[in-house]
Amino acid sequence: MTRLVSVRYRCSECDATHVRPEYIDDEEPEKTREGTCYAAHPARDAGFEGCGEEVELEAIAWREDRADEWDAIGADEQLVSDGGQTADESLLRVISDRDPAEMSHHDLYYEWHEVVEATYRSITDADVERTLTDRREELWNEMTSRVDAEAPECPECGAQSWGQTRGEPKICRSCDYHLGIDDDALGEAINDYWNAVQSPGVQPPEGGEADD
């Protein structure tokens, strides 16, 4: 039976990843397909990188519902590193044992950014994904507590909690409202809020800051 699923692809040229919907008839999506490696929209901060070229895309994970965990494609076992860890477990090295309340803003920001980058990888271990997500939320909550700024309200439910997966639109974490082409002003307001939390009136260390 044909069904709609989400597939995470990796570009064979620039190694960027993105998610796109696919209709499939088989048990899981095809391992490769020809397509465009999505590049960030030039007028918006889409929060991800891509070369925009027509390339061979490698399907690395998929899921049938947003609430489902990602299933790896073409991998029965995870690769184990020289240190005896799986590829997923090695991602936990970005997490420190420091109390966020005792960290400087710069330390908070850079660990948060590293954790965000780790969550964008193709993770099939649910415990690793949960640990990274929990730390990401813990760091972000501490960062938001230090600034005098409020996130814009969702036009559907009034909540002020927003998220974005690379390659996908911003969404309300409360009601799953997806920003569309008529929500440019709201999208900019969310970006302004995120920027205020990430850089609360201070100059980051030399080396610059990365976008979420």
Side-chain angles (χ1 to χ4, degrees):
M1 180 178 67
T2 300
R3 60 199 192 280
L4 181 65
V5 301
S6 295
V7 183
R8 179 173 287 160
Y9 288 100
R10 178 165 52 217
C11 174
S12 59
E13 294 296 322
C14 71
D15 209 35
T17 63
H18 68 268
V19 176
R20 67 171 72 191
E22 297 283 6
Y23 284 99
I24 65 172
D25 296 310
D26 299 325
E27 290 187 4
E28 66 176 32
E30 295 291 332
K31 294 180 179 179
T32 61
R33 60 161 289 178
E34 297 295 319
T36 303
C37 173
Y38 290 155
H41 191 289
R44 301 175 186 167
D45 176 16
F48 69 100
E49 299 296 333
C51 62
E53 301 294 329
E54 289 291 325
V55 296
E56 181 180 80
L57 299 170
E58 175 192 1
I60 57 178
W62 72 290
R63 63 185 180 187
E64 295 204 41
D65 187 87
R66 280 184 172 274
D68 293 341
E69 297 174 3
W70 288 99
D71 291 323
I73 295 177
D76 296 326
E77 297 181 0
Q78 291 200 44
L79 297 176
V80 177
S81 66
D82 293 338
Q85 294 179 315
T86 66
D88 282 355
E89 290 170 343
S90 66
L91 296 174
L92 297 178
R93 291 177 296 181
V94 301
I95 296 178
S96 75
D97 59 0
R98 301 175 63 186
D99 182 350
E102 299 178 356
M103 297 169 67
S104 69
H105 173 73
H106 293 150
D107 289 344
L108 268 176
Y109 172 80
Y110 285 116
E111 181 174 336
W112 171 81
H113 176 68
E114 289 298 309
V115 172
V116 169
E117 289 299 309
T119 62
Y120 284 149
R121 301 289 295 272
S122 178
I123 302 173
T124 58
D125 187 318
D127 290 336
V128 170
E129 184 172 34
R130 187 177 305 108
T131 299
L132 288 167
T133 300
D134 288 348
R135 182 60 172 178
R136 173 179 178 170
E137 293 295 324
E138 183 181 25
L139 295 167
W140 181 257
N141 288 339
E142 177 61 27
M143 290 164 65
T144 59
S145 72
R146 300 185 183 187
V147 297
D148 184 19
E150 290 190 6
E153 295 184 357
C154 171
E156 291 291 319
C157 71
Q160 295 174 284
S161 180
W162 299 95
Q164 183 176 25
T165 299
R166 285 183 174 180
E168 296 185 351
K170 294 178 176 66
I171 64 169
C172 172
R173 294 184 185 275
S174 179
C175 70
D176 206 36
Y177 175 78
H178 286 53
L179 268 67
I181 58 175
D182 296 326
D183 292 313
D184 283 353
L186 178 57
E188 289 299 321
I190 295 171
N191 284 338
D192 290 343
Y193 170 70
W194 286 347
N195 289 334
V197 173
Q198 294 174 42
S199 301
V202 297
Q203 183 66 31
E206 185 175 353
E209 55 185 289
D211 295 326
D212 175 21

